[in-house]
Amino acid sequence: MDNVISELLKERDALRARIRDHERKAYEMRQTLKSLDATLIHLGHTGPGFEDPAKRKLTDGLFYSGELPRMLMRVLRANPDGLTLRKMTEQVCAEKGWELDDARFYGAVSSKVSRNLDKYKKRGLVELYDGAWRLSAANTQPNPG
């Protein structure tokens, strides 16, 4: 029995060594691919699958830390009957002074607003009722004192 166990352990160690070797090779190949892609992009190739890895998301850096959640709560407090996602996005953009003529930009901001509202919904701070976001009933109670 000990002989079988020792043979199985040897086989296991050999497999682990092979896996480590393959993982190292895969890592090296990924690094080479990144380098090739960066070179192609630098040379101006912009075909399918060649997006600039350094390109920032459309909405990166638009809001200060915690600014968007505070804006959303302020907008919801000012509209107790609730607002649709579209209206909330429009109000956020208006407050920041942004034009809504670029559909990609509007979609990116709308997505960011939606993700924040979903986080608040999970925490029980807001609710979605008949397509309108509003403060949850527990969150609309006046603060004592």
Side-chain angles (χ1 to χ4, degrees), residues 11 14 20 27 30 32 42 44 46 53 65 68 77-79 81 86 88 105 113 116 118 124 127 131 138 140 142:
E11 182 67 24
R20 277 194 304 272
Y27 173 79
R30 278 192 293 275
T32 302
H42 180 73
T46 57
S65 180
L68 179 60
R77 285 187 191 104
N79 297 282
D81 293 334
R86 180 173 193 77
M88 290 195 66
F105 179 73
V113 168
N116 274 270
D118 287 340
E127 59 190 13
T140 58

Side-chain angles (χ1 to χ4, degrees), residues 54-66:
K55 188 175 182 180
R56 294 170 50 152
K57 290 183 182 174
L58 213 51
T59 56
D60 277 358
L62 292 179
F63 299 99
Y64 295 108
S65 180

